[in-house]
Amino acid sequence: MFDIETSQGWPMPVLDDLNRPLFEGMKEGKVMVQKCADCNTWLAPSAFICEACGSENVPWVEVSGKGELYTYVVYHRAYAPEFESMVPYNVALIELEEGPRLLANIVGIANEDLQIGMALKPVFQEVAEGLPLLRFEPA
Ligand SMILES: [Zn+2]
């Protein structure tokens, strides 16, 4: 999804026209998702074409960020050295009330207390200077 640079030990996204609205939104505390303007399909970030209908009209739209835990995994091994200090950490699939599902970490709760279906809300955490990340916490 992103080319990688590092800052303060964190992989940093390289912004381009496809992903800039996602990261600019995070700086403003907004949860942004792409949605096809022609067929209303929610799309994974940085899509340049709709996977359902082929439309190139795939704008970013702001969503509430409220949702629930759809599923998750807990990583006990770091697959990149930058994340070794975070182990064990979760990676969750959150289903937003508007319908799309996003991948993110859940914070503010122990991994062993995570429960499928629990209500979540967005939280933005600055993990490196100039890089707020969208994460979720119990609502
Ligand atoms: Zn479409």
Side-chain angles (χ1 to χ4, degrees):
M1 175 176 170
F2 307 116
D3 295 325
I4 299 296
E5 294 177 348
T6 60
S7 173
Q8 298 162 294
W10 267 86
M12 298 291 286
V14 177
L15 300 188
D16 58 28
D17 290 343
L18 287 177
N19 66 26
R20 187 169 289 108
L22 175 66
F23 290 96
E24 293 299 320
M26 285 190 236
K27 288 180 181 176
E28 297 171 9
K30 297 177 180 176
V31 180
M32 305 296 289
V33 183
Q34 277 181 283
K35 185 178 190 181
C36 178
D38 290 323
C39 76
N40 291 323
T41 297
W42 294 103
L43 301 167
S46 303
F48 62 90
I49 191 169
C50 174
E51 63 193 28
C53 77
S55 172
E56 295 180 9
N57 191 6
V58 290
W60 290 86
V61 297
E62 184 179 359
V63 293
S64 70
K66 295 177 189 168
E68 63 179 44
L69 180 55
Y70 187 79
T71 192
Y72 68 96
V73 295
V74 176
Y75 281 73
H76 295 272
R77 176 188 296 183
Y79 290 94
E82 295 89 347
F83 300 124
E84 279 177 12
S85 65
M86 294 171 52
V87 171
Y89 63 92
N90 66 69
V91 175
L93 190 62
I94 297 98
E95 186 167 274
L96 301 182
E97 62 183 10
E98 293 89 348
R101 295 174 185 161
L102 302 181
L103 282 170
N105 306 121
I106 299 176
V107 297
I109 184 171
N111 289 329
E112 52 269 27
D113 293 333
L114 292 170
Q115 300 220 351
I116 303 297
M118 67 187 304
L120 300 169
K121 62 183 180 181
V123 59
F124 298 89
Q125 295 186 330
E126 190 165 29
V127 297
E129 188 173 341
L131 181 62
L133 278 190
L134 169 62
R135 290 174 163 168
F136 288 82
E137 62 185 8

